Amino acid sequence: MTDDTDGGRDGGRDGGPRGGGGADAALGADPDARDELRTARLAAAGRAAGRRLADGLREATVGELLATLVAPDPDEPADVYGDGVVARLELRVAQLLGTEDAAFFPTGTMAQQVALRCWAGRTGNPVVALHPMSHPERWEEGALAAVAGLRTVHTTTESRQPTAQEVRDVPEPFGTLMLELPLRDAGFLLPSWEELEEVVAAARAREAVVHFDGARLWESTVHFGRSLPEIAALADSVYVSFYKSLGALSGAALAGPASLVEEARLWRHRYGGRVFRQFPAALSALAALESRLPALPSYVTRARDVAQGLREAFEAAGVPWFRVHPEVPHTHQFQVWLPYEPDRLTDAGIRLAEETGTVLFRRWSAAPVPGLAVTEVEVASPALDWPPGALPAAAAAFLSYL
């Protein structure tokens, strides 16, 4: 999988010949050149496609992004080191999550490192219990140890959320339990509400605090059947992202008790996150909270329809082995596994986009099991407008390119 915090799988725009043979032949055996062309074609095809499952945010131009920045009051003073519109955003997040306060951060990586560092100081224990597939372990270059001086232990090595018993069985004391909700690299998986309550209680019984990595917490309300304040109330602190599901320009927030957030603002300054002006990111986040946040439940519902449609299409085509994971998506994102080489599947998706104007899948990666490839599917507002029959037709066309 690829981390979408600091760049992703999709790259620039360069067009390129249709089909795979001629382009690859022209590039010879240079794998880097092949991948560069593939990335460029993928981006160009995505921009030109008329039908997709999610917004093509990675291909957006500067002009398109600037057009989304509409200030409710253009005469409002610009922010200076976190006041003004940034402070309004912080207040809005605290209201939505039902916490005492919230602090804006330029990145989620910084927000979580600060949160875990603050809790280590307060508990007197620098050990963080988390999943080995969680963001700090996979996508932050060992920053918890290198920058914050923290140490991690793993709750489980299984590709799923930890159980309460596994939290109870961690063989050494830990000060903080970090739960990634949903666990992205395992398939955007969430526990049940009852399981989450039990896991939190198990941590409390060990005198540990609980921090939620809620980069995609916004869309978890459907699966849990609970409101955002009810979910956030289980934890001592929560991090949320403004771009991963909401589609804003960038940024994150750390929410929790007022005393913790006050300390986090101090560490934000020390980490270099006290930026002189951040009103574009703040305006974008506020707009997303008003427009996209209410729509997320409909994306989750549609994602379940898409997952079912893909299963039926693969079965009808006689695909020798496939997996849609989880079978019923917990959020508006899920995984698809197929028994082909990743580049072959990526090229089929490019041809589908170039020749039919439909984006179904994007880049595929090698799965942990040899001979299999996996991709992530996101379902958002564009998927709501697909007419009946369009999804099975697109899936059949995609498979025909293999």
Side-chain angles (χ1 to χ4, degrees):
M1 300 297 177
T2 300
D3 171 32
D4 62 1
T5 297
D6 298 305
R9 298 174 179 148
D10 308 330
R13 180 185 183 191
D14 189 33
R18 294 187 176 186
D24 287 348
L27 292 171
D30 185 346
D32 291 335
R34 288 171 183 263
D35 190 64
E36 183 178 349
L37 177 61
R38 183 175 286 113
T39 298
R41 289 178 61 205
L42 185 65
R47 282 192 56 81
R51 180 174 292 156
R52 66 187 78 222
L53 291 175
D55 307 295
L57 297 177
R58 294 197 184 280
E59 294 84 30
T61 65
V62 171
E64 290 168 341
L65 293 175
L66 287 175
T68 67
L69 298 180
V70 179
D73 179 7
D75 295 324
E76 178 182 13
D79 64 295
V80 177
Y81 289 126
D83 61 4
V85 65
V86 176
R88 283 204 292 115
L89 174 60
E90 293 175 335
L91 176 61
R92 182 62 178 142
V93 170
Q95 292 171 338
L96 287 168
L97 296 177
T99 59
E100 290 181 356
D101 201 357
F104 179 83
F105 280 80
T107 72
T109 296
M110 184 187 294
Q112 296 219 112
Q113 288 183 31
V114 166
L116 296 174
R117 183 171 197 146
C118 289
W119 284 126
R122 289 169 176 239
T123 63
N125 189 327
V127 179
V128 180
L130 42 61
H131 198 288
M133 300 176 79
S134 62
H135 197 279
E137 293 290 74
R138 286 209 166 180
W139 306 115
E140 297 179 18
E141 305 294 343
L144 286 184
V147 180
L150 306 181
R151 187 163 58 84
T152 61
V153 294
H154 297 156
T155 51
T156 179
T157 57
E158 298 293 324
S159 184
R160 54 165 172 74
Q161 292 284 351
T163 66
Q165 188 60 52
E166 287 167 337
V167 172
R168 288 190 285 267
D169 289 342
V170 173
E172 63 179 296
F174 54 89
T176 305
L177 172 68
M178 196 201 89
L179 297 173
E180 184 175 317
L181 302 175
L183 187 58
R184 181 249 180 114
D185 283 352
F188 304 93
L189 298 183
L190 290 164
S192 70
W193 179 253
E194 292 73 22
E195 289 169 339
L196 181 59
E197 288 182 314
E198 291 170 0
V199 166
V200 169
R204 301 262 193 254
R206 298 196 59 168
E207 299 182 343
V209 297
V210 178
H211 170 75
F212 285 170
D213 174 344
R216 298 171 175 85
L217 191 72
W218 305 113
E219 63 266 33
S220 300
T221 56
V222 177
H223 176 83
F224 286 135
R226 298 294 191 280
S227 67
L228 286 169
E230 288 177 291
I231 298 170
L234 286 182
D236 296 281
S237 60
V238 179
Y239 141 66
V240 289
S241 172
F242 295 126
Y243 78 89
K244 288 185 177 177
S245 295
L246 296 177
L249 288 178
S250 62
L254 175 64
S259 63
L260 175 80
V261 174
E262 181 180 7
E263 182 184 358
R265 289 191 173 103
L266 175 64
W267 281 104
R268 179 182 63 187
H269 192 180
R270 290 168 174 164
Y271 271 67
R274 190 167 180 253
V275 181
F276 179 59
R277 283 211 171 103
Q278 299 182 97
F279 70 89
L283 283 174
S284 179
L286 282 166
L289 288 172
E290 295 305 313
S291 63
R292 186 151 176 152
L293 179 58
L296 286 177
S298 67
Y299 300 171
V300 177
T301 300
R302 180 60 176 146
R304 294 171 177 176
D305 295 336
V306 171
Q308 176 64 25
L310 290 175
R311 280 197 302 274
E312 293 173 355
F314 294 154
E315 290 171 354
V319 176
W321 186 94
F322 68 87
R323 185 179 184 187
V324 176
H325 177 66
E327 287 192 9
V328 178
H330 296 176
T331 70
H332 69 302
Q333 295 172 293
F334 57 91
Q335 293 178 343
V336 174
W337 297 48
L338 287 174
Y340 300 92
E341 290 299 313
D343 288 349
R344 184 178 177 186
L345 291 162
T346 300
D347 289 342
I350 293 172
R351 291 188 61 193
L352 178 71
E354 290 176 337
E355 298 177 17
T356 73
T358 297
V359 175
L360 189 58
F361 305 115
R362 299 190 66 82
R363 189 175 290 276
W364 293 73
S365 304
V369 180
L372 299 179
V374 60
T375 191
E376 295 175 347
V377 177
E378 178 180 1
V379 177
S381 58
L384 304 180
D385 297 327
W386 282 42
L391 180 64
F398 170 79
L399 293 172
S400 74
Y401 291 122
L402 298 174

